[in-house]
Amino acid sequence: MPQGSSQPARTHRVAVIVDAGTNPFEVGVATELFGLPRPELGLERPAYEVTLCAPDGVVRMNHGFFTLTGVPSLDTVDEADTLVVPGRPDNVVPRVPAVLDAIRRTHARGARVVSFCTGTFALAEAGLLDGRRATTHWRWEQDFRELHPKVLLEPDVLFVDEGDVLTAAGSAAALDLGLHIWRQDHGAELANQVSRRLVFAAHRDGGQRQFVERPVPEVRDESLGPVLSWAQEHLDQPLTVADLAARARVSPATLHRRFRAQLGTTPLAWLIAERVTLARRLIERGEERLDVVAARSGLGTAANLRARLRRETGLSPSAYRRRFGTAAGEAVNP
């Protein structure tokens, strides 16, 4: 198996609710991310298995594009480790009570509940989100606030991870959240391999903006690609925003505007995220010396590495290595 990957103790069961009018794309995202065989990962058993479930055995999808038949009942959620609730366009129409009950009882027994796009409306209607952070598609912000004023809506982010409840914004952001779940469950190395299989960005932080303004280029190519690639190859060096600007041959202010427009984040936030991602991969691949990991990733000190890793993953370096490292349980620097 690839170096740095994490063997699952057992296959993680994912249930996906399909209700009348469900968007096919988001169901496809769930099955693509969690349902397809991935022999290239070299795992002893599949990381995930997916089962669709519905209040009725026949489900007419959004706009009647097609109809699913023979769909298992909602009892499937009782065996699921993760429940995925895709979106549908008629958000102001109440959900079927059986669907809301399935969501509530799944959450009540401690399973993870995930919504894609406007599936957040269902989670809010089920009462899972009162007083908690969540997101949904920016187009439905006003409707959501009117229907669910107790939810702490963050309408300008890609996804929100509240631990046991995770919500994604638009349909494409479901891919970002799905890869985030892969990273949380199995480490950055396997998540990166899955993203390469999808030909999709390996990591877009949940706090990035949903709607990214892309100005029409004038004469020069203003793509950030070259400077991003260069920075990724030099993360072990003490790079600053000024260094990135100099490499791109623009002022720091111009670089900041381009990062905001093209990536929805700042140069410094992007640089820190890349350093943490590299640090995680080094730990997963077996590097035990925290000072070496900190130096090679450009995080400077073991103390800074610990702080950044805990902020990103909720785990100390030793706990992260035990979960995702090549030699689980090996003694490491705490």
Side-chain angles (χ1 to χ4, degrees), residues 2-73:
Q3 188 180 28
S5 58
S6 174
Q7 288 285 2
R10 65 174 179 82
T11 298
H12 188 101
R13 295 163 297 193
V14 179
V16 182
I17 289 182
V18 284
D19 196 4
T22 293
N23 291 327
F25 179 83
E26 288 137 35
V27 177
V29 168
T31 55
E32 173 72 32
L33 281 167
F34 306 120
L36 295 186
R38 301 200 181 276
E40 71 275 11
L41 299 184
L43 299 176
E44 295 174 357
R45 60 186 61 83
Y48 303 95
E49 64 179 17
V50 170
T51 305
L52 304 186
C53 59
D56 298 299
V58 178
V59 182
R60 186 174 183 268
M61 303 296 282
N62 183 21
H63 280 85
F65 287 133
F66 57 85
T67 298
L68 297 177
T69 61
V71 184
S73 74

Side-chain angles (χ1 to χ4, degrees), residues 19-306:
D19 196 4
T22 293
N23 291 327
F25 179 83
E26 288 137 35
V27 177
V29 168
T31 55
E32 173 72 32
L33 281 167
F34 306 120
L36 295 186
R38 301 200 181 276
E40 71 275 11
L41 299 184
L43 299 176
E44 295 174 357
R45 60 186 61 83
Y48 303 95
E49 64 179 17
V50 170
T51 305
L52 304 186
C53 59
D56 298 299
V58 178
V59 182
R60 186 174 183 268
M61 303 296 282
N62 183 21
H63 280 85
F65 287 133
F66 57 85
T67 298
L68 297 177
T69 61
V71 184
S73 74
L74 290 174
D75 291 342
T76 299
V77 305
D78 296 325
E79 302 298 324
D81 303 300
T82 293
L83 175 64
V84 176
V85 183
R88 68 180 199 191
D90 52 345
N91 300 300
V92 297
V93 177
R95 263 58 177 177
V96 176
V99 169
L100 298 178
D101 178 66
I103 294 171
R104 292 188 190 104
R105 71 176 188 262
T106 301
H107 181 254
R109 63 178 175 80
R112 180 169 55 193
V113 180
V114 177
S115 70
F116 289 165
C117 195
T118 56
T120 307
F121 280 80
L123 269 55
E125 192 175 350
L128 270 61
L129 299 178
D130 286 356
R132 306 185 73 172
R133 297 164 52 246
T135 192
T136 191
H137 194 290
W138 58 268
R139 182 181 177 187
W140 303 106
E141 175 185 359
Q142 174 118 11
D143 287 342
F144 190 93
R145 291 191 186 281
E146 291 176 358
L147 287 169
H148 307 291
K150 295 182 180 180
V151 180
L152 306 179
L153 185 67
E154 297 189 4
D156 198 29
V157 298
L158 295 177
F159 61 83
V160 171
D161 181 350
E162 285 280 278
D164 57 337
V165 178
L166 300 89
T167 53
S171 297
L175 286 166
D176 292 296
L177 179 54
L179 289 170
H180 171 75
I181 290 171
W182 264 97
R183 283 193 301 275
Q184 294 298 96
D185 289 350
H186 302 292
E189 190 72 20
L190 287 187
N192 288 340
Q193 292 185 63
V194 174
S195 71
R196 286 195 293 271
R197 171 79 174 266
L198 296 173
V199 195
F200 191 75
H203 178 66
R204 291 199 298 168
D205 185 78
Q208 290 188 30
R209 294 162 56 197
Q210 285 188 35
F211 181 72
V212 178
E213 299 175 359
R214 299 187 183 277
V216 176
E218 296 176 356
V219 177
R220 294 180 302 161
D221 178 11
E222 295 187 350
S223 169
L224 289 171
V227 71
L228 298 184
S229 297
W230 175 81
Q232 288 168 333
E233 294 172 359
H234 296 82
L235 290 174
D236 59 333
Q237 300 177 16
L239 298 179
T240 65
V241 174
D243 294 329
L244 298 183
R247 181 71 183 185
R249 298 183 179 179
V250 296
S251 69
T254 296
L255 186 73
H256 192 279
R257 286 195 298 270
R258 290 186 185 177
F259 264 79
R260 278 294 186 191
Q262 297 181 35
L263 299 180
T265 189
T266 66
L268 182 59
W270 177 86
L271 189 58
I272 292 172
E274 289 296 313
R275 294 191 189 284
V276 173
T277 296
L278 177 56
R280 291 170 66 172
R281 296 184 72 176
L282 291 170
I283 292 172
E284 290 170 10
R285 290 175 174 179
E287 178 54 67
E288 299 181 9
R289 299 162 296 176
L290 295 191
D291 55 341
V292 172
V293 173
R296 291 183 59 186
S297 63
L299 290 173
T301 65
N304 189 39
L305 167 62
R306 290 188 186 93

